[in-house]
Amino acid sequence: QKEVEQNSGPLSVPEGAIASLNCTYSDRGSQSFFWYRQYSGKSPELIMFIYSNGDKEDGRFTAQLNKASQYVSLLIRDSQPSDSATYLCAVRDDKIIFGKGTRLHILP
Amino acid sequence: DTGVSQNPRHKITKRGQNVTFRCDPISEHNRLYWYRQTLGQGPEFLTYFQNEAQLEKSRLLSDRFSAERPKGSFSTLEIQRTEQGDSAMYLCASSPVGASNQPQHFGDGTRLSIL
């Protein structure tokens, strides 16, 4: 059974600081990794994907992948109150396997 | 790009009734996925189609659940003899052709409440 593990939080971060969200996965053969943001009562929204080891930056977001450690992270710089949401880490097989999500709360 | 469309947005029904949900994927996407999400959990995979062929079903999908995609376009998910444990958000997603590495795009979901 392939698994994706995340700390459920809540993770509280002051506005303007860096939020760091972490995720581990069980299948060493996994190739594609995604971060989705989900506001309460809404569907998941893709914010980042990464396939190669290293960092990938998009605006205030940086995804980091370490396949040797089976570890994926998401950094959010200059955190804003609108970043308060649940962040879902996901691994693509043919379907997507999601973690349970980390609740992020940005403190004004 | 009109996005993935799901109907209805909300469904309230009594236990034991049958319900059917519809998903219209992004038009050029040949893969369509169904997920279920309960409070505090990530979405759980139920089943997926490539064109009209149902390629995989989760063990979560009991025999009360059936999904179809008859013409390779929209899909329906039916739950027969609903139970209270079926209360959840049912999410549909689609992805492009040959898209083993492509992300999936989600619809807004159908929230099912069983009384």
Side-chain angles (χ1 to χ4, degrees), chain B residues 86-100:
Chain B
D86 297 331
S87 295
M89 174 78 88
Y90 289 84
L91 294 163
C92 177
S94 68
S95 66
V97 173
S100 61

Side-chain angles (χ1 to χ4, degrees), chain A residues 1 31-32 34 36 38 41-44 46 49 51 88 92-101, chain B residues 31 33 35 37 40-43 45 48 56 59 89 91 95 99-104 106-108:
Chain A
Q1 176 76 7
Q31 297 292 322
S32 309
F34 306 94
Y36 284 83
Q38 188 172 30
K42 302 295 186 182
S43 63
L46 179 71
F49 60 90
Y51 308 141
L88 298 163
R92 178 81 186 251
D93 187 348
D94 278 327
K95 69 271 191 185
I96 287 189
I97 301 167
F98 286 89
K100 292 184 177 181
Chain B
R31 286 196 171 185
Y33 303 79
Y35 294 85
Q37 187 175 24
Q41 302 294 317
F45 169 76
Y48 88 94
E56 187 174 347
R59 281 172 285 183
M89 174 78 88
L91 294 163
S95 66
S100 61
N101 285 337
Q102 290 295 314
Q104 297 171 357
F106 283 84
D108 289 336

Side-chain angles (χ1 to χ4, degrees), chain A residues 4-5 9 12 17 22 25 27 31 36-37 40 44-46 51-52 55 58 66 68 77 79-80 88 100 105 107:
Chain A
V4 177
E5 298 287 341
S12 296
N22 304 313
Y25 59 94
D27 182 10
Q31 297 292 322
Y36 284 83
R37 178 175 62 199
S40 180
E45 172 193 8
L46 179 71
Y51 308 141
S52 304
D55 294 0
D58 184 1
N66 183 327
R77 290 180 299 281
S79 297
Q80 304 295 311
L88 298 163
K100 292 184 177 181
H105 184 210
L107 303 170

Side-chain angles (χ1 to χ4, degrees), chain A residues 22-35:
Chain A
N22 304 313
C23 168
T24 59
Y25 59 94
S26 64
D27 182 10
R28 186 170 290 278
S30 297
Q31 297 292 322
S32 309
F33 306 89
F34 306 94
W35 283 99

